[in-house]
């Protein structure tokens, strides 16, 4: 219990210190000693509108055949609609997902993790309900720029138990619950 509390405090401190950051999306081909050519995408900081375009541009700028495609996640979350669009792109283009040991995937970053064909979590994954600028009454109308989105349908597409949405919605936006290894297994996130 104490360990989870400490993890939560660390994650919240990182989120507060980085609240004004925007996502950094980097995509590049790297040569791995044993695997071969790997397309690596790194998504860090706060997911915001425009990040989908940065991701698709990076993928298009690196055409070719790869032994593996991996998205490396170290994000404090951000825009749900943008994360869902990015997640669908990652799934369609065949990326695996990795949360390195020194990294955090919290809030809406979970949509990117869910998109990975294979998922490896060595760092921390934190859940909470998204913050809605219009207040929680905005939950009744999940739209962004006139486009309706549905987290339950998204997780179903990604073969993730939809009970994850219920758990997320039960946690206040300013609180965080760090998933245990058992939670990750139950939600097929590791």
């Amino acid at each position: 219990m104490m360990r989870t509390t400490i993890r939560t405090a660390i994650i919240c401190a990182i989120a507060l210190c980085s609240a004004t950051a925007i996502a950094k999306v980097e995509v590049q081909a790297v040569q791995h000693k044993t695997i071969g050519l790997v397309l690596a995408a790194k998504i860090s900081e706060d997911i915001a509108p425009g990040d989908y375009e940065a991701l698709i541009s990076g993928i298009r700028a690196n055409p070719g055949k790869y032994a593996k495609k991996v998205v490396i996640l170290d994000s404090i979350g951000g825009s749900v609609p943008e994360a869902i669009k990015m997640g669908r792109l990652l799934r369609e283009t065949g990326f695996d997902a990795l949360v390195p040991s020194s990294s955090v995937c919290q809030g809406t970053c979970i949509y990117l993790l869910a998109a990975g064909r294979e998922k490896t979590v060595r760092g921390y994954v934190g859940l909470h309900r998204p913050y809605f600028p219009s207040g929680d009454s905005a939950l009744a109308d999940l739209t962004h720029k006139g486009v309706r989105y549905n987290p339950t349908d998204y997780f179903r597409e990604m073969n993730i138990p939809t009970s994850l949405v219920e758990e997320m919605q039960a946690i206040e936006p300013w609180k965080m619950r760090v998933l245990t290894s058992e939670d990750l297994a139950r939600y097929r996130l590791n």
Side-chain angles (χ1 to χ4, degrees), residues 81-101:
E82 198 75 5
I84 287 175
K85 285 192 327 186
M86 293 169 75
R88 285 185 173 128
L89 176 62
L90 292 167
R91 176 58 68 94
E92 289 169 10
T93 53
F95 277 80
D96 294 338
L98 169 65
V99 179
S101 59

Side-chain angles (χ1 to χ4, degrees), residues 8-85:
T8 302
I10 291 169
I11 290 170
C12 289
I14 290 168
L16 291 173
C17 293
S18 305
T20 60
I22 57 171
K24 186 173 182 183
V25 179
E26 304 168 278
V27 181
Q28 66 181 22
V30 293
Q31 185 66 42
H32 188 274
K33 290 182 204 176
T34 56
I35 298 173
L37 195 57
V38 175
L39 185 60
K42 183 174 182 187
I43 300 170
S44 57
E45 302 175 26
D46 190 24
I47 299 165
D51 292 336
Y52 170 84
E53 290 302 322
L55 180 60
I56 198 167
S57 294
I59 292 169
R60 286 180 178 156
N62 290 282
K65 188 168 176 126
Y66 294 94
K68 194 171 204 62
K69 295 177 182 178
V70 179
V71 61
I72 301 161
L73 303 172
D74 188 12
S75 173
I76 59 171
S79 168
V80 175
E82 198 75 5
I84 287 175
K85 285 192 327 186

Side-chain angles (χ1 to χ4, degrees), residues 3-4 7 121-125 177-190:
R3 198 179 222 176
T4 301
R7 286 181 193 160
V121 176
R122 295 190 179 122
Y124 301 102
V125 177
R177 184 167 104 61
V178 176
L179 296 181
T180 65
S181 56
E182 293 81 16
D183 294 328
L184 292 167
R186 182 173 70 243
Y187 291 122
R188 296 185 208 120
L189 294 172
N190 198 3

